[in-house]
Amino acid sequence: MLANTTRTLTEAQREQWAVDGYLQIEGALSPAEVDFFSKLLDDKVRTEPGYEPAPGALPRGHYDWKLPDQNKDGFMDRRDLLPCHQAFIDLIDRPRIFDLILDLMGPYIQFSMSQAIVRASTDTFPGYIHTDGGQAQKSIRVSETSRPLAVKVMYLLTDVTAPDSGNFTVFPGSHLRLFPEKPERLPHPHMPGAVPLLGKAGDAYVFPHALWHGPSPNHSGKARKTLLYNYCQMFMRAYDFSGPYAGLLERCTPRQRRLLGDLGHDFRPGDFFYAPEDQEAVMTGT
Ligand SMILES: O=C(O)CCC(=O)C(=O)O
């Protein structure tokens, strides 16, 4: 059964989205869900091989199949979580957050990526400021009144109550303007304009790929865990799978299937540009 999707942004959220370029949704996950996902990362995701960064072997942003560090507080950056557990599939269109995604992005969207990141407490990581969407998105900025091209939801699984705790750090408004990124002025989490956000486990940050953002260093003494879910307009490409995600479709609701690329027929040229006629009804559950 699909939840009927009716929630929309408040006026204050709409303004914050347009001006600052991000939202913080408190209590998006319950404490029980935070515990559940946190244990799932420790006891299942981390103990099995999966797609992880391979610095030195592969360029930045490319993932190789490997086993992460087995220390539960060590660094982990796992992609393509959905096959790992039904709960990861169900989080794709969790009503309270997905309602906002639909309101922001419109109904012609797909799910494009899932990720779990554990930022270890360490003196060796200086943080990392970037846009999402690779090289291209650094120079693509839509206007305040436009729908975004792609949006990420970051669920905190750890309280982040002080700076330099692996905070999600944003440059408010940077989704709308040229941002300096020169060898002599590389963006970093302590430069002017950076806002290291605080939050409670269970909070979610929602932001477009165009916003300059990233993790601050983590000197808190404890690892910071997050889940990240990405959505993009249908004419763009998913990052974690290359076509309809066939291996998962039988575990999905109709809406989840559509978000994972199942348009209800075999691929035809033009698909994903013009969506099936029931796209809006499938997305909103009406
Ligand atoms: O805070 C992190 O660990 C990374 C989050 C981030 O910058 C991203 O997902 O693009």
Side-chain angles (χ1 to χ4, degrees):
M1 245 307 257
L2 278 182
N4 193 330
T5 296
T6 51
R7 284 186 203 82
T8 53
L9 271 71
T10 62
E11 274 317 300
Q13 286 175 323
R14 216 172 283 290
E15 185 177 299
Q16 193 188 5
W17 179 264
V19 175
D20 293 334
Y22 70 93
L23 301 174
Q24 181 166 355
I25 313 297
E26 291 178 3
L29 297 177
S30 69
E33 289 172 312
V34 167
D35 280 354
F36 173 82
F37 281 116
S38 198
K39 283 198 180 68
L40 199 54
L41 295 195
D42 287 350
D43 300 340
K44 183 161 169 63
V45 175
R46 194 185 275 281
T47 59
E48 295 172 358
Y51 282 105
E52 288 270 338
L58 292 178
R60 184 189 280 284
H62 293 238
Y63 288 66
D64 209 355
W65 189 258
K66 62 181 214 181
L67 196 64
D69 183 349
Q70 291 301 292
N71 169 8
K72 286 182 183 173
D73 295 321
F75 172 76
M76 181 174 82
D77 176 351
R78 173 63 60 91
R79 290 287 285 273
D80 194 17
L81 298 172
L82 304 190
C84 218
H85 199 284
Q86 184 66 34
F88 288 131
I89 297 177
D90 292 337
L91 196 57
I92 293 176
D93 62 342
R94 181 194 173 78
R96 190 164 163 232
I97 294 294
F98 189 70
D99 293 351
L100 303 185
I101 294 292
L102 276 185
D103 193 22
L104 287 166
M105 301 188 73
Y108 302 105
I109 57 172
Q110 63 184 330
F111 184 73
S112 52
M113 190 203 92
S114 55
Q115 187 176 20
I117 301 184
V118 178
R119 292 272 168 217
S121 179
T122 167
D123 288 335
T124 57
F125 177 63
Y128 170 52
I129 298 301
H130 58 284
T131 64
D132 289 327
Q135 296 92 332
Q137 179 72 78
K138 292 179 184 183
S139 56
I140 300 174
R141 289 173 289 276
V142 297
S143 77
E144 295 93 321
T145 54
S146 165
R147 292 199 186 282
L149 290 170
V151 168
K152 193 177 267 182
V153 180
M154 173 168 166
Y155 295 94
L156 273 185
L157 299 180
T158 312
D159 289 340
V160 177
T161 51
D164 286 345
S165 304
N167 312 58
F168 181 60
T169 299
V170 292
F171 289 76
S174 59
H175 59 311
L176 297 174
R177 59 172 193 264
L178 197 59
F179 193 84
E181 195 199 20
K182 301 180 186 140
E184 65 277 18
R185 201 181 171 199
L186 283 179
H188 63 83
H190 297 130
M191 72 192 277
V195 178
L197 299 180
L198 305 180
K200 291 275 192 203
D203 289 0
Y205 304 115
V206 183
F207 57 102
H209 277 25
L211 186 76
W212 287 81
H213 69 274
S216 69
N218 183 2
H219 303 145
S220 69
K222 69 173 185 196
R224 191 232 58 196
K225 290 184 196 165
T226 50
L227 293 176
L228 299 126
Y229 274 52
N230 264 31
Y231 305 81
C232 65
Q233 299 295 343
M234 277 175 102
F235 62 84
M236 298 170 72
R237 285 198 222 175
Y239 304 168
D240 278 358
F241 44 97
S242 55
Y245 207 146
L248 291 182
L249 298 182
E250 64 189 26
R251 291 158 59 185
C252 295
T253 64
R255 180 161 75 184
Q256 291 165 350
R257 291 176 72 111
R258 185 61 63 79
L259 285 165
L260 294 177
D262 177 11
L263 300 182
H265 55 255
D266 288 340
F267 178 78
R268 301 194 281 252
D271 268 347
F272 300 99
F273 286 73
Y274 283 94
E277 288 177 349
D278 63 357
Q279 178 70 14
E280 193 162 348
V282 171
M283 285 302 119
T284 57
T286 50

